Amino acid sequence: MKARLPKGMGGAPTNMQGMIKQAQKMQEEMEKKQEELNEKEYTVAAGGGAVECTINGRKEIVSIKMKPEVVDPEDIEMLEDMVKAAVNEAIHKVEEINTTEMEKITGGLNIPGIF
């Protein structure tokens, strides 16, 4: 007597082909989305708006702007801290948005090395 597997279980090449096509489609969507995200620019501020950092989706700094009153030759350390805070916040923003957008495509699947 032969055991019967439920429909769709084992040896069904059409299911495997469907899964491969679905994975390819997901990869194409992810590549397209990554290109879009790479081109976006984000601006964040630190020090109550005294320092602004603009970064793109590739995590490259596009610009850093400072209000003149924040430039104090007697307190360079404060300025350095504000610039560092603005840059770090900009990087975190890009990572958060990229992750959120990719999760929309993958359905929350954690695929190592994707982003």
Side-chain angles (χ1 to χ4, degrees):
M1 182 168 159
K2 285 187 173 180
R4 289 190 165 188
L5 292 173
K7 188 174 183 175
M9 298 295 287
T14 56
N15 287 341
M16 183 59 82
Q17 289 173 345
M19 286 176 52
I20 291 171
K21 285 182 183 180
Q22 187 177 7
Q24 288 172 336
K25 182 180 176 192
M26 183 186 301
Q27 182 179 4
E28 290 170 7
E29 289 176 16
M30 290 173 65
E31 288 172 0
K32 182 180 175 186
K33 180 57 77 175
Q34 190 62 58
E35 287 176 24
E36 290 174 23
L37 292 170
N38 285 347
E39 298 306 314
K40 284 188 169 191
E41 290 187 358
Y42 310 91
T43 300
V44 298
V51 176
E52 282 188 353
C53 177
T54 301
I55 189 170
N56 65 24
R58 290 183 183 89
K59 300 177 193 164
E60 300 168 334
I61 303 300
V62 175
S63 70
I64 295 179
K65 296 182 181 179
M66 294 172 236
K67 291 186 176 179
E69 60 268 17
V70 78
V71 182
D72 179 0
E74 301 297 317
D75 195 2
I76 297 296
E77 191 174 320
M78 181 184 71
L79 179 58
E80 291 170 342
D81 288 344
M82 285 190 287
V83 170
K84 181 175 69 174
V87 170
N88 285 334
E89 180 61 30
I91 291 169
H92 292 303
K93 184 173 187 172
V94 169
E95 288 175 348
E96 180 182 318
I97 290 171
N98 285 357
T99 299
T100 301
E101 291 298 314
M102 288 301 178
E103 284 177 349
K104 289 178 185 176
I105 295 171
T106 64
L109 266 174
N110 185 8
I111 304 171
I114 297 297
F115 30 75

